[in-house]
Amino acid sequence: MGIVLTVLAVVFLLVGVAAAGMAARLSSAGDAPAVAERQRRLRFRLATPAFLLGVVLFVASRFV
C-alpha cells in the first residue's frame, strides 16, 4: 500500500510541475488579460492542488 501511495504522490507532483511549467511558459507569452487569466487558472486550479495532494500522499505513504 505504501508503494502505491508513493507512486500516486510522484504522479501528482509531476502533474504539478508540468502545470507550473506551463504557467511559467505562458508568462513569457505576454501580459494580455486572457494570458494572465489562463496562467492564474493553471496555477490555482491545477498546480497547487496537485502539489498539495502529492505531498499529502507522500506523507501518508510513510505511515502506511
Side-chain angles (χ1 to χ4, degrees):
M1 183 72 172
I3 292 175
V4 172
L5 288 177
T6 303
V7 168
L8 281 173
V10 168
V11 167
F12 278 104
L13 289 172
L14 288 175
V15 167
V17 167
M22 288 188 321
R25 206 173 302 135
L26 277 176
S27 67
S28 65
D31 292 330
V35 173
E37 176 63 24
R38 268 186 257 137
Q39 181 183 15
R40 185 191 67 76
R41 223 179 299 139
L42 271 172
R43 244 182 302 154
F44 292 116
R45 292 188 184 167
L46 183 60
T48 303
F51 277 130
L52 290 177
L53 192 55
V55 169
V56 168
L57 286 172
F58 186 74
V59 170
S61 73
R62 298 297 116 200
F63 294 107
V64 173

